[in-house]
Amino acid sequence: MTLSPAHVPATGVRRLTTTLYGYAFLDDLVLLYPVYALLFADTGLPLWQISSLFALWSLTAVVLEVPSGAWADTVSRRRLLWIGPLLTAAGFTLWVSVPSYGAFALGFVLWGAGGALGSGSLEALVYDELERLGATERYARVTGRTRAARLLATVAAMGLAGPVLAVGGYTAVGAASVVACLLAAATATRLPEHRVPDEKGSTRWSATLRAGLAEARGDRTVRRALLLVPAVTAVWGALDEYVSLLIRDLGVADATVPYLVLLVWTMVTLGSLCAGPAERLGTRGLAVLIAGSALALAVGAGVRTPAGIALVGLAFAGFQLAEVLADVRLQHRIEDARRATVTSVASLGTELATLVVFGVYTLLGASLAHSTVFMILSVPYLVTALVLGRGSGRPRNESPQDRPRTQ
């Protein structure tokens, strides 16, 4: 039977998205997530060593983020997407087989390197494949569902980690995490990639890096879209690490804390699923979304009740949605040949800004309640919304067909 042209793109999109959602779910189905700090402490590491491990993890991502993006523009992106989980699996294996500070440090370097290989590569591969199929208008919806799949995996890992730990200890939790990484790597090999990478020299890695940075610096529309990504991602991306502490300060029983955390992340997942319809929002609509989420964050943290935590979850859902839309705006404006590089520049900005937020939170939290710090850190979002609203010139987001191209 001969397929019509309409059926060919539909089949291609279905193959891409099915594999993509499976890969995203498995990549974040890491049962070590909720318990690795306990593993470090039970191994005998003092707090300063545990903190230094987190810093090493972030530093690895900062150092490798942009170079790995440039590499993804010169070699097969699919190859990097299956190598990344293998590096992470090696790190987790070290953690549970020879638990020690050195093994934990090397494991974080491997995990950070694996994450850097996937950052930028996945977005670029998905956008290019959708563009080949003439379906770039689906990018927002696909990206939102991809992030929802990751969030569902995180929630599942939270639920499974306790029972698995009780039955088999850290060895079982680590083994389950390694298996998930191996399955993610296997799934990545099934991702379609029709782009022909330039691996033999007409475009050098360093030249691609320079060209990508030049595009980010020289094109005002690209620069604005790029800066928007860390502006909407960094603060709430750091605050989510402190949600459990915010909840515990309400005076609820410790057994209740996980359920309220789960409520927050359920709402974040729902926010991701709204990305398709929300792409119709223009720049002003996006500004209103960010401002409304900032107000929900401030009020939710300020009322210091379980109902307020629901408002915090609503705020996080809004920020998650804004994060997806910011990525969509950026992808619409990037040259195809440098897509992974510029996307990685945005991720680097997010990593650096997140480190700053961690530092600010530490300073403020030394003398203020968690609820007060949450309220203070809602202010940057109000500033972002104000700047975005004032700079809006288009009634709608720029369409894929109208995005600028560098010759």
Side-chain angles (χ1 to χ4, degrees):
M1 179 173 103
T2 303
L3 293 177
S4 69
H7 288 156
V8 174
T11 302
V13 170
R14 191 178 304 112
R15 178 196 168 191
L16 170 66
T17 55
T18 300
T19 309
L20 174 65
Y21 301 152
Y23 170 78
F25 183 87
L26 291 167
D27 195 41
D28 271 28
L29 188 63
V30 178
L31 272 63
L32 278 167
Y33 276 155
V35 299
Y36 60 64
L38 300 179
L39 169 62
F40 303 156
D42 290 346
T43 303
L45 269 60
L47 181 60
W48 73 267
Q49 284 189 325
I50 295 175
S51 298
S52 70
L53 290 173
F54 294 152
L56 178 63
W57 190 18
S58 296
L59 182 61
T60 301
V62 167
V63 170
L64 297 179
E65 187 67 55
V66 176
S68 66
W71 193 22
D73 281 332
T74 56
V75 302
S76 167
R77 293 163 180 164
R78 179 173 56 196
R79 182 187 306 167
L80 299 185
L81 290 172
W82 63 257
I83 291 175
L86 294 182
L87 294 178
T88 304
F92 292 159
T93 301
L94 281 174
W95 283 7
V96 295
S97 59
V98 284
S100 62
Y101 181 80
F104 296 148
L106 181 55
F108 267 128
V109 170
L110 290 170
W111 193 359
L117 290 181
S119 178
S121 303
L122 185 64
E123 295 90 342
L125 183 148
V126 172
Y127 194 95
D128 284 352
E129 286 300 308
L130 289 174
E131 186 172 50
R132 184 186 68 85
L133 295 167
T136 50
E137 75 282 355
R138 302 190 189 188
Y139 180 77
R141 183 168 63 224
V142 170
T143 300
R145 290 177 178 178
T146 301
R147 299 193 185 206
R150 290 188 179 279
L151 292 168
L152 286 173
T154 300
V155 170
M158 290 178 181
L160 292 171
V164 174
L165 182 65
V167 172
Y170 292 116
T171 300
V173 173
S177 301
V178 169
V179 169
C181 291
L182 296 178
L183 291 174
T187 304
T189 64
R190 305 301 301 168
L191 285 167
E193 183 181 27
H194 292 81
R195 164 183 168 272
V196 179
D198 184 2
E199 300 184 21
K200 294 191 176 179
S202 65
T203 302
R204 293 176 58 84
W205 171 89
S206 58
T208 300
L209 176 58
R210 288 194 299 271
L213 292 175
E215 181 177 356
R217 184 175 60 252
D219 189 319
R220 185 171 62 179
T221 61
V222 172
R223 186 168 63 250
R224 288 178 175 175
L226 188 151
L227 291 173
L228 183 61
V229 174
V232 300
T233 304
V235 175
W236 88 271
L239 288 179
D240 78 74
E241 300 291 344
Y242 301 97
V243 168
S244 59
L245 298 177
L246 174 69
I247 295 172
R248 190 170 65 180
D249 272 5
L250 301 179
V252 301
D254 284 349
T256 305
V257 173
Y259 295 106
L260 291 176
V261 172
L262 183 60
L263 170 65
V264 171
W265 285 103
T266 299
M267 298 180 76
V268 173
T269 303
L270 294 175
S272 291
L273 294 174
C274 294
E279 193 179 10
R280 299 185 181 92
L281 292 174
T283 300
R284 291 177 184 172
L286 180 57
V288 170
L289 172 65
I290 295 171
S293 300
L295 292 174
L297 176 63
V299 173
V303 297
R304 297 174 60 85
T305 65
I309 298 303
L311 275 178
V312 172
L314 181 63
F316 279 14
F319 294 141
Q320 171 67 51
L321 180 56
E323 181 180 336
V324 174
L325 296 179
D327 175 60
V328 171
R329 292 163 67 90
L330 178 62
Q331 297 302 327
H332 285 344
R333 288 161 172 79
I334 305 174
E335 266 295 310
D336 292 348
R338 297 183 284 273
R339 187 174 304 282
T341 303
V342 178
T343 302
S344 289
V345 171
S347 297
L348 173 63
T350 299
E351 292 285 350
L352 293 173
T354 301
L355 286 174
V356 172
V357 176
F358 279 137
V360 171
Y361 198 105
T362 301
L363 291 174
L364 295 175
S367 57
L368 300 174
H370 291 289
S371 58
T372 304
V373 180
F374 269 65
M375 293 173 67
I376 292 172
L377 289 177
S378 68
V379 175
Y381 282 115
L382 294 174
V383 175
T384 297
L386 180 62
V387 172
L388 190 62
R390 284 185 173 180
S392 62
R394 292 179 181 269
R396 296 171 60 95
N397 285 334
E398 186 178 75
S399 69
Q401 291 77 18
D402 296 333
R403 70 182 188 274
R405 291 282 184 170
T406 303
Q407 299 299 324

